Amino acid sequence: MPNTTEINATTFSAESYFATQPEPPTLKADIQGVSHFIDSQIEKGRKVVLVTSGGTTVPLELNVVRFLDNFSAGTRGATSAEYFLKQGYAVIFMHRQFSLQPFSRNYSHSTHPFLDFLEIDAALPSSSTIDSAYPYSNDPSPSAAHPHITVKTSEKAALLSLLRAYKAVQAKGTLHTLTFVTVNDYLYLLRAISKEMKQLGPKAMYYLAAAVSDFFLPKQKMSEHKIQSGKGSLHIEMDQVPKVLKPLVSEWVPAGFVVSFKLETDPALLIPKARQALERYGHQVVIGNDLHHRKHHVVLVSPKSTASDRKILPNGVEYEEMWIEIDSSPSAPHKEIEEGIVRELVARHDAWIKRA
Ligand code: PAZ
């Protein structure tokens, strides 16, 4: 007999999901931090954006050894968060543990490791230079105790400008970071943070860039221990993750400005799927992106009407599309598409606040 789950697939509504799936143990502490952060941003009169970023996992066992994952590295979310900060927003950055983060993403260990742009000062005696720079060295010489480490000249300007921006954000206290791993962590955090942000009314933006699994294995169907391979092939029937955009838009944050992302691998599906999402959930913008070109072009789909009511739009409502593109040729100057996306959204959010 192959391994197989025993209960048939169920359709979860958001309510039945939260009634049956366990709350993450760290949720209360996480939300306390968010609540303090929001209070201090309200005092300063700032706009606040929730940026979700990175992929969720779906554990297959209660004592989890194996899980399904989602491909996202968190580039979109981390990069966008930096541009929102630059535009004066306070940012709640909710990201997959160990995925890219604002500022440090520029020195990712895989694409731009920081050790590669540091140098050991050439003025030091060559015999002690290498040893003294190595943290486990036993070299007792004075130069070994105080080795000079410098930044490569070619890296200095970029690092300095990034460091200044990072320190300024720290001093202003406009970035609050928290993490999720599983799709269950994500859903609970999203609901709780949204409810905290509700008091911000139209001044809150929700920028949902995380790659969230569409399927999950409810706790009640999970094997307690590691699934054994002795029984041959593995058959798992997963349930659908509830579409929480619906309660988010209509109940949790009825006055907020909501932007969701739609990822497709068939570019022909981008616009129809984005329109379908707007019709279903009645939010403000869907950003369509296709997997292979997501860093170079995206489409912003939104209802044509400028009405600020949040009713679910009936079929047949007109939509508008706006493409944002950057030059992808190797000789083009370095640009990030998120700069254009954030600039456009900030303008639309300002109009939204004014109308409200
Ligand atoms: O994190 P990343 O930069 O590698 O990818 C970003 C993205 C494609 C996950 C994001 O732009 C997106 O489309 N998020 C929503 C995915 C979805 O349809 O669930």
Side-chain angles (χ1 to χ4, degrees):
M1 271 273 284
N3 283 304
T4 183
T5 53
E6 282 157 22
I7 309 168
N8 287 331
T10 320
T11 307
F12 280 87
S13 63
E15 299 82 63
S16 60
Y17 181 92
F18 290 115
T20 55
Q21 302 308 302
E23 179 178 302
T26 53
L27 185 73
K28 286 199 173 65
D30 281 345
I31 295 308
Q32 250 178 20
V34 170
S35 171
H36 290 313
F37 181 75
I38 292 173
D39 287 348
S40 70
Q41 305 310 326
I42 289 177
E43 246 172 52
K44 309 251 165 49
R46 292 191 183 117
K47 294 177 283 183
V48 180
V49 59
L50 168 66
V51 176
T52 70
S53 181
T56 60
T57 69
V58 176
L60 301 186
E61 298 123 342
L62 289 174
N63 291 290
V64 54
V65 174
R66 301 186 184 98
F67 53 87
L68 290 189
D69 207 345
N70 225 313
F71 80 98
S72 165
T75 314
R76 174 84 78 221
T79 312
S80 305
E82 266 178 47
Y83 287 108
F84 278 118
L85 289 162
K86 221 175 187 172
Q87 293 268 3
Y89 275 71
V91 175
I92 299 174
F93 186 66
M94 173 182 151
H95 72 107
R96 162 73 180 277
Q97 189 184 39
F98 308 131
S99 66
L100 295 178
Q101 293 192 47
F103 303 111
S104 63
R105 59 140 188 141
N106 294 285
Y107 296 95
S108 142
H109 61 278
S110 51
T111 55
H112 194 189
F114 79 95
L115 288 178
D116 286 354
F117 65 84
L118 297 180
E119 283 174 330
I120 300 160
D121 196 326
L124 286 174
S126 59
S127 64
S128 70
T129 302
I130 301 300
D131 284 352
S132 63
Y134 186 62
Y136 309 112
S137 165
N138 291 323
D139 186 345
S141 69
S143 59
H146 303 287
H148 285 225
I149 296 171
T150 56
V151 174
K152 271 187 192 163
T153 313
S154 57
E155 298 277 357
K156 265 186 187 158
L159 178 61
L160 189 63
S161 129
L162 189 77
L163 201 56
R164 284 198 173 119
Y166 175 64
K167 296 285 179 195
V169 163
Q170 279 189 325
K172 277 168 80 181
T174 46
L175 176 61
H176 184 79
T177 297
L178 63 174
T179 60
F180 60 83
V181 177
T182 66
V183 64
N184 188 56
D185 299 340
Y186 173 90
L187 293 173
Y188 266 99
L189 271 176
L190 180 66
R191 182 176 71 155
I193 295 173
S194 304
K195 288 182 172 178
E196 287 297 320
M197 287 175 72
K198 187 175 182 179
Q199 58 186 310
L200 289 153
K203 281 185 122 176
M205 190 196 300
Y206 302 82
Y207 183 85
L208 309 176
V212 182
S213 175
D214 284 327
F215 304 100
F216 80 112
L217 201 53
K219 180 175 181 271
Q220 295 76 4
K221 289 187 185 178
M222 272 190 225
S223 139
E224 183 184 353
H225 293 292
K226 184 183 163 202
I227 297 170
Q228 296 298 309
S229 62
K231 290 181 179 170
S233 58
L234 175 66
H235 296 262
I236 298 176
E237 186 173 38
M238 293 197 159
D239 290 12
Q240 227 185 348
V241 169
K243 305 287 181 202
V244 292
L245 247 183
K246 201 179 170 75
L248 183 129
V249 173
S250 58
E251 295 165 36
W252 304 344
V253 294
F257 186 84
V258 180
V259 180
S260 70
F261 279 78
K262 177 61 67 192
L263 174 72
E264 293 297 338
T265 51
D266 176 357
L269 290 180
L270 273 185
I271 291 175
K273 289 302 258 315
R275 288 179 173 181
Q276 193 183 58
L278 283 181
E279 273 172 18
R280 275 196 188 146
Y281 310 121
H283 55 306
Q284 284 60 57
V285 185
V286 178
I287 302 185
N289 51 174
D290 88 78
L291 182 67
H292 303 296
H293 305 103
R294 67 189 192 282
K295 294 187 193 229
H296 299 118
H297 58 244
V298 300
V299 58
L300 273 59
V301 184
S302 44
K304 210 165 201 166
S305 134
T306 53
S308 60
D309 67 314
R310 304 295 302 270
K311 290 188 193 92
I312 301 287
L313 299 160
N315 280 345
V317 160
E318 278 188 274
Y319 297 91
E320 55 194 15
E321 290 142 24
M322 179 186 175
W323 286 91
I324 297 182
E325 295 177 321
I326 58 169
D327 190 346
S328 58
S329 60
S331 59
H334 175 68
K335 279 201 110 192
E336 292 176 314
I337 195 166
E338 288 77 9
E339 184 176 9
I341 298 176
V342 169
R343 194 185 315 114
E344 177 60 28
L345 291 177
V346 169
R348 294 187 189 195
H349 187 207
D350 285 344
W352 173 262
I353 295 170
K354 258 192 205 140
R355 280 204 298 275

